[in-house]
């Protein structure tokens, strides 16, 4: 069966510090991978998605970047965090873009202070 | 532009009541999905509807896809405290990632 791992679960970082959130998927090959940010109790804002190694699509201009160094690994990064980067970050995977069912990780709660 | 409008945004009801959550759009979707999310966790898929007019039932939950595939509804019969959570609809269009609504926060008290 397929599983998705996302870590860390909680992160507190000072303004201006770098960020690296990692997501890995097991049990499937060539998944589509996604990073979302969610405001408290609200919908999901798509940040990045990837249909293959090294292929990254950015949906919203951000202080963030994403990379996919391996087929089942997706990394969300920032060189210098802003206060506005605080939020709940979710990684997800699907079998195809547009039609796929998305399976989500447990999320990372990021607080930038 | 918000392509998927969910209503209501918040819903607070007593155990045993019925409720309906709506997901509307001016766009046509190839399929529509409903998720439930509990605090501090990722969303979990409840159902996918694909055919216009399709109705799917999951225990006390009934999901319907509009005939024109532009809207959907989720009806819960005899709500229970365990139904509490954030309900999200998401529409699929060819060549794009899923488009999510802003969610409906449901609170069921005993």
């Amino acid at each position: 069966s397929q599983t998705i791992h996302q870590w860390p679960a909680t992160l507190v970082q000072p303004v201006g510090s770098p960020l690296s959130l990692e997501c890995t998927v097991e049990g499937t090959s060539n998944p589509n991978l996604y990073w979302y940010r969610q405001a408290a109790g609200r919908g999901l804002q798509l940040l990045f998605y990837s249909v293959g190694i090294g292929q990254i699509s950015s949906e919203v201009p951000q202080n963030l970047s994403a990379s996919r160094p391996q087929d089942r690994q997706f990394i969300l990064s920032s060189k210098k965090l802003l206060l506005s980067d605080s939020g709940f970050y979710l990684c997800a995977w699907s079998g195809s873009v547009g039609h796929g069912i998305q399976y989500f990780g447990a999320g990372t709660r990021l607080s930038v202070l | 532009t918000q392509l998927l409008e969910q209503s209501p945004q918040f819903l607070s009801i007593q155990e045993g009541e019925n409720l309906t959550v709506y997901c509307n759009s001016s766009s046509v979707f190839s399929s529509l999905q409903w998720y439930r999310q509990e605090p501090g966790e990722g969303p979990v898929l409840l159902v996918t509807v694909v055919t216009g007019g399709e109705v799917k039932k999951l225990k006390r939950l009934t999901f319907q896809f509009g005939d024109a595939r532009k809207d959907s509804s989720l009806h819960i019969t005899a709500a229970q405290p365990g139904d509490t959570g954030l309900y999200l609809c998401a529409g699929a269009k060819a060549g794009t990632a899923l488009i999510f609504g802003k969610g409906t926060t449901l609170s069921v008290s005993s």
Side-chain angles (χ1 to χ4, degrees):
Chain A
S1 63
Q2 303 90 354
T3 56
I4 180 169
H5 302 281
Q6 187 180 341
W7 68 92
T10 305
L11 190 60
V12 180
Q13 292 285 97
V15 170
S17 64
L19 172 74
S20 181
L21 301 181
E22 189 164 343
C23 173
T24 59
V25 180
E26 296 178 357
T28 186
S29 59
N30 197 31
N32 295 313
L33 297 171
Y34 309 83
W35 279 111
Y36 291 90
R37 180 166 58 200
Q38 185 178 32
R42 302 304 288 135
L44 306 178
Q45 178 188 34
L46 179 64
L47 301 176
F48 302 95
Y49 71 90
S50 171
V51 300
I53 296 175
Q55 300 179 61
I56 308 294
S57 295
S58 175
E59 291 295 301
V60 181
Q62 297 282 338
N63 178 42
L64 303 167
S65 62
S67 62
R68 185 169 178 175
Q70 300 180 38
D71 181 45
R72 289 171 288 179
Q73 183 184 29
F74 206 23
I75 298 172
L76 183 68
S77 304
S78 174
K79 293 182 179 179
K80 289 185 177 181
L81 284 168
L82 306 173
L83 288 173
S84 58
D85 291 324
S86 294
F88 191 53
Y89 289 83
L90 287 158
C91 179
W93 75 272
S94 75
S96 64
V97 175
H99 296 78
I101 297 169
Q102 292 192 359
Y103 302 91
F104 288 85
T108 296
R109 173 72 58 194
L110 172 65
S111 298
V112 183
L113 306 177
Chain B
T1 302
Q2 180 62 35
L3 294 183
L4 270 175
E5 297 286 345
Q6 271 190 253
S7 62
Q9 183 177 340
F10 299 99
L11 197 52
S12 182
I13 61 173
Q14 294 290 318
E15 182 176 5
E17 293 184 30
N18 301 332
L19 68 114
T20 302
V21 177
Y22 299 94
C23 181
N24 296 304
S25 176
S26 58
S27 297
V28 176
F29 294 101
S30 56
S31 67
L32 198 138
Q33 301 171 7
W34 285 92
Y35 295 80
R36 181 169 70 205
Q37 182 181 20
E38 299 192 15
E41 299 181 9
V44 175
L45 180 70
L46 295 174
V47 77
T48 300
V49 285
V50 179
T51 306
E54 182 178 3
V55 177
K56 281 191 174 180
K57 292 191 175 183
L58 185 66
K59 297 183 179 178
R60 294 176 292 100
L61 278 61
T62 302
F63 304 85
Q64 184 165 7
F65 201 13
D67 291 340
R69 305 206 316 274
K70 293 182 178 181
D71 52 79
S72 181
S73 64
L74 157 61
H75 183 79
I76 301 179
T77 303
Q80 298 177 1
D83 296 326
T84 293
L86 176 68
Y87 289 81
L88 295 159
C89 64
K93 297 171 77 72
T96 67
L98 283 180
I99 299 166
F100 280 85
K102 292 188 175 182
T104 295
T105 299
L106 172 64
S107 175
V108 183
S109 53
S110 55

